[in-house]
Amino acid sequence: VPFLQQACEADVVFACSSLALAYHKGMGTPLDVEKGIQLYEHTCELGSGQACLNFGLVYINGDGRPADPARGLPYLQKACDGGLLIEGCGYLGNLYDNGQFVEKDAARAIELYTLSCEAGGFEQCGLLANVIANGRGTEADQARAVELAERGCEGDAGLACYMLARFVRDGE
């Protein structure tokens, strides 16, 4: 931890990110949630998508402080915009798909799930297949939904495999 601290003081992103996680989870150092959260924010400002996601989730979930989704959402978007396509965009897509902490917006969910799926987010391929099969936010497209479910299932995503089995059962 002392070497991580020294590197973080020099704004080495990986070191700051590792140090934030160490304090937040008490890994190799005494648990200090507040210090971990402060380091997530600092590391996010340095450009770490993972730190932005972690900082946003602290506020979404109320981890170590009261939940404040309005404060956390911009950090999830920053994680997505910063290239954390599977986790950041996928998590945001789920929020828009379900209308959790944001206005329900199936078209936005499709956009975010697509970014995540194309980056290798197999679970998001399954979620995208479900949205498209049911015509939420777009015209229903069973052929596209099957293609997405196949991609997700090839990556062992449970929902995608379930969707694929349903499509096969229904002859689609």
Side-chain angles (χ1 to χ4, degrees), residues 79-158:
C80 179
D81 293 343
L84 204 62
L85 302 177
I86 296 173
E87 299 91 346
C89 298
Y91 197 96
L92 267 177
N94 201 18
L95 294 180
Y96 279 101
D97 191 15
N98 294 302
Q100 187 178 11
F101 310 124
V102 294
E103 188 173 329
K104 195 170 192 165
D105 185 343
R108 179 75 174 128
I110 289 170
E111 177 184 326
L112 293 161
Y113 284 155
T114 299
L115 288 169
S116 184
C117 176
E118 289 176 354
F122 298 116
E123 288 294 333
Q124 287 77 18
C125 293
L127 293 165
L128 182 57
N130 186 36
V131 171
I132 290 174
N134 290 303
R136 293 194 325 260
T138 187
E139 188 173 322
D141 183 345
Q142 297 304 313
R144 176 81 174 123
V146 169
E147 175 188 308
L148 291 162
E150 286 174 342
R151 183 186 305 171
C153 191
E154 287 170 4
D156 291 329

Side-chain angles (χ1 to χ4, degrees), residues 11-64:
D11 287 339
V12 175
V13 174
F14 181 77
C16 291
S17 187
S18 297
L19 191 60
L21 185 62
Y23 280 116
H24 186 223
K25 301 296 181 185
M27 297 171 11
T29 187
L31 179 69
D32 188 339
V33 173
E34 189 58 38
K35 190 169 188 172
I37 291 169
Q38 290 170 357
L39 282 165
Y40 284 145
E41 183 174 28
H42 173 71
T43 309
C44 176
E45 291 168 4
L46 293 175
S48 167
Q50 185 65 54
C52 292
L53 178 69
N54 290 345
F55 187 71
L57 290 176
V58 161
Y59 283 97
I60 295 289
N61 298 323
D63 183 11

